């Protein structure tokens, strides 16, 4: 059954009312709710796993790839990890009320720029039920109401999870409508959500490039663009080649299905003969299929020809595009043309080269002699994240609690008038 625009609008109206209540809560109240939600995930794990099993059964019947089924599946260990994430968020500093800057003007008027919640945050995401819990927890701690729109393949799991989270939050005095599922599983319900400018303050899409592009292009609600990760490692002429090999293996093979996994390796021509034979053998032994240019193919018969599609690809698989470049500037030119603005890495012992790479790569995160896999809120020491922003406005890189706030200017006077 199609979901009406009025159904989705009613959900957003309730979320807006809840957001007004959340904005006044102190940290203790929010942390109490987060801990209650974590406890409830464990106490009601049986019903959550039962609901998830129906989603998993339907996904397998539909011929869904096993890797995607795995991302959909909930287990007692995964539920405990989700509960642990909520407890971790409860332990983080509350960004709301933080004074970003302030001063007293010559006329005595006191000015402060203070962090405040965004309001109503809509999250559109694919078949990963853990996002439901992560997003709800981060939004609650930052004082925002969460409107959650997961994929149809996880609707039973998400419905059960949101029911548990709402019950727990309401039991400790929070408005239940602070956490809501957007009604419907058809694409129309997503379109209705994307048209609620004025009721929904911001949308955050989490998923593949197609989902993100559709939300960015079709939404009238402001969008924080996240996710797509065509990440690069560049091996410089002054690289420690042992270190470079370890970094590319980690960046490519540690976990291939995530956005901070490296998809393209660029190698300076001056070290190609020394580095490529070792790298190609190690990558093949790790199960990686290399898509290479002519120079790369000359080093190993297992390399398949690379095309423009390969340079642009976010594989999310054991595939890697490899190219030989003539200079650091050529590497940066390649990255700026084909990259997604997520994470790039340089391996070099040259301070000058690293500085130039950092200054000229236009990406949300840049690693020097480190794996691209570090671009993550938890690994950055920020705690949980709502996603990794690849845009340039408001938030860029891993988005933790401060990135889920805006600011308000507060002026305090004593009958001050403009003359």
């Amino acid at each position: 059954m199609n979901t009406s625009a009025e159904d989705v609008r009613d959900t957003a109206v309730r979320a807006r009312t809840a957001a007004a209540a959340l904005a006044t809560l102190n940290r203790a109240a929010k942390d109490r709710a987060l801990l209650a939600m974590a406890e409830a995930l464990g106490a009601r794990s049986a019903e959550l796993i039962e609901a998830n099993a129906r989603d998993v059964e339907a996904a397998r019947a539909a011929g869904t790839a096993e890797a995607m089924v795995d991302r959909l599946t909930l287990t007692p260990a995964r539920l405990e990890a989700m509960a642990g994430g909520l407890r971790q968020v409860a332990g983080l500093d509350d960004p709301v009320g933080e004074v970003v800057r302030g001063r007293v003007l010559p006329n005595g008027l006191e000015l402060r720029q203070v962090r405040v919640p965004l309001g109503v945050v809509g999250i559109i995401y694919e078949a990963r039920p853990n996002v439901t819990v992560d997003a709800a927890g981060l939004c609650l701690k930052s004082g925002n109401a969460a409107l959650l729109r997961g994929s149809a393949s996880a609707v039973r799991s998400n419905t059960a999870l949101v029911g548990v989270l709402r019950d727990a939050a309401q039991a400790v005095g929070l408005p239940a409508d602070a956490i809501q599922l957007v009604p419907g599983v058809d694409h129309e319900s997503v379109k209705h959500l994307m048209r609620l400018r004025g009721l929904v303050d911001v949308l955050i899409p989490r998923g593949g490039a197609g989902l993100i592009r559709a939300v960015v292009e079709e939404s009238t609600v402001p969008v924080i663009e996240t996710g797509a990760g065509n990440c690069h490692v560049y091996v410089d002429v002054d690289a420690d080649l042992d270190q470079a090999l370890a970094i590319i293996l980690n960046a490519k093979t540690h976990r291939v299905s995530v956005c901070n996994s490296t998809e393209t390796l660029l190698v300076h021509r001056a070290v190609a003969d020394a580095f490529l034979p070792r790298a190609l053998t190690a990558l093949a032994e790790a199960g990686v299929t290399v898509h290479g240019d002519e120079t790369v193919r000359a080093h190993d018969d297992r390399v398949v020809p690379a095309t423009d599609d390969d340079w642009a690809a976010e594989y999310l698989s054991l595939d890697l595009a490899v190219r030989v470049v003539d200079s650091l500037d050529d590497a940066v030119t390649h990255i700026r043309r084909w990259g997604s603005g997520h994470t790039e890495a340089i391996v070099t012992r040259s301070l000058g080269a690293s500085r130039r790479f950092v200054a000229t790569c236009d990406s949300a995160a840049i690693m020097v002699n480190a794996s691209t896999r570090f671009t993550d809120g938890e690994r950055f020491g920020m705690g949980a994240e709502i996603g990794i922003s690849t845009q340039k406005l408001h938030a860029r890189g891993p988005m933790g609690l401060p990135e889920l706030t805006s600011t308000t200017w507060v002026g305090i006077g004593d009958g001050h008038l403009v003359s």
Side-chain angles (χ1 to χ4, degrees):
M1 181 180 296
N2 290 339
T3 305
S4 72
E6 196 58 35
D7 290 335
V8 178
R9 181 183 177 84
D10 285 348
T11 305
V13 169
R14 295 196 301 272
R16 199 146 196 88
T17 300
L22 289 177
T24 65
L25 293 180
N26 59 34
R27 174 179 176 175
K30 291 186 283 190
D31 290 350
R32 187 164 54 249
L34 289 166
L35 295 175
M37 288 157 56
E39 186 69 22
L41 289 178
R44 297 173 64 177
S45 61
E47 66 182 88
L48 294 173
I49 289 175
E50 181 183 353
N52 177 252
R54 295 200 297 273
D55 283 335
V56 170
E57 181 182 3
R60 286 206 168 103
T64 304
E66 199 57 35
M68 296 303 296
V69 173
D70 180 66
R71 295 174 76 174
L72 174 64
T73 302
L74 293 178
T75 65
R78 289 181 178 182
L79 282 172
E80 179 53 38
M82 291 154 63
L86 291 174
R87 295 185 185 101
Q88 180 188 54
V89 173
L92 298 174
D93 290 339
D94 187 346
V96 177
E98 176 191 350
V99 178
V100 178
R101 53 181 167 167
R103 62 183 182 273
V104 179
L105 300 182
N107 65 3
L109 184 69
E110 298 178 13
L111 277 181
R112 295 195 300 269
Q113 186 183 20
V114 182
R115 289 197 183 278
V116 296
L118 290 169
V120 177
V121 177
I123 300 97
I124 302 172
Y125 53 103
E126 295 174 335
R128 294 179 63 178
N130 65 294
V131 175
T132 301
V133 176
D134 292 346
L138 287 164
C139 285
L140 192 156
K141 181 67 178 255
S142 53
N144 298 294
L147 285 180
L148 306 169
R149 179 48 168 85
S151 62
S153 60
V155 65
R156 301 171 187 85
S157 306
N158 290 336
T159 299
L161 285 166
V162 168
V164 169
L165 298 177
R166 283 167 59 91
D167 288 349
Q170 192 171 27
V172 294
L174 269 66
D177 288 334
I179 305 166
Q180 296 185 79
L181 271 187
V182 176
V185 296
D186 58 305
H187 187 60
E188 288 303 306
S189 71
V190 179
K191 287 187 175 180
H192 298 326
L193 177 63
M194 293 191 294
R195 298 293 184 269
L196 291 179
R197 188 180 184 93
L199 285 175
V200 179
D201 293 287
V202 66
L203 287 177
I204 303 173
R206 285 193 57 172
L211 168 68
I212 295 166
R213 182 169 57 252
V215 175
V216 169
E217 292 176 354
E218 297 179 30
S219 178
T220 63
V221 176
V223 177
I224 299 178
E225 189 170 349
T226 68
N230 182 8
C231 304
H232 299 73
V233 171
Y234 164 59
V235 179
D236 187 46
V237 63
D238 291 315
D240 177 325
L241 298 186
D242 290 336
Q243 188 178 84
L245 181 59
I247 286 172
I248 188 57
L249 286 173
N250 179 263
K252 178 68 261 183
T253 67
H254 182 259
R255 189 177 174 196
V256 298
S257 64
V258 291
C259 61
N260 57 19
S261 173
T262 288
E263 307 291 20
T264 299
L265 169 64
L266 302 171
V267 181
H268 195 290
R269 191 172 300 279
V271 298
D273 288 343
F275 182 69
L276 283 175
R278 296 176 59 197
L280 296 175
T281 297
L283 288 164
E285 290 174 351
V288 177
T289 298
V290 171
H291 306 250
D293 67 9
E294 188 174 325
T295 303
V296 176
R297 295 201 308 276
H299 285 278
D300 195 316
D301 292 339
R302 292 168 292 190
V303 177
V304 299
T307 67
D308 284 355
D309 289 341
D310 292 297
W311 308 133
E314 183 187 25
Y315 291 117
L316 303 177
S317 63
L318 282 170
D319 291 88
L320 180 70
V322 182
R323 186 174 209 167
V324 173
V325 294
D326 292 325
S327 66
L328 183 152
D329 288 344
D330 284 348
V332 171
T333 297
H334 177 102
I335 291 167
R336 290 177 71 99
R337 178 179 180 187
W338 299 107
S340 60
H342 192 296
T343 303
E344 326 304 344
I346 181 174
V347 186
T348 186
R349 289 172 291 200
S350 167
L351 180 59
S354 65
R355 285 176 171 169
R356 183 168 182 80
F357 190 82
V358 170
T360 54
C361 274
D362 189 20
S363 296
I366 300 171
M367 300 294 160
V368 178
N369 298 323
S371 171
T372 59
R373 287 282 288 118
F374 277 103
T375 304
D376 174 84
E378 187 170 356
R379 294 184 187 278
F380 276 14
M382 299 163 53
E385 65 178 36
I386 200 78
I388 296 173
S389 170
T390 53
Q391 63 166 28
K392 297 186 181 181
L393 300 179
H394 169 59
R396 198 178 191 199
M399 294 178 59
L401 293 171
E403 287 72 33
L404 287 173
T405 64
S406 183
T407 62
T408 291
W409 283 95
V410 179
I412 301 175
D414 184 18
H416 280 69
L417 303 174
V418 173
S419 58

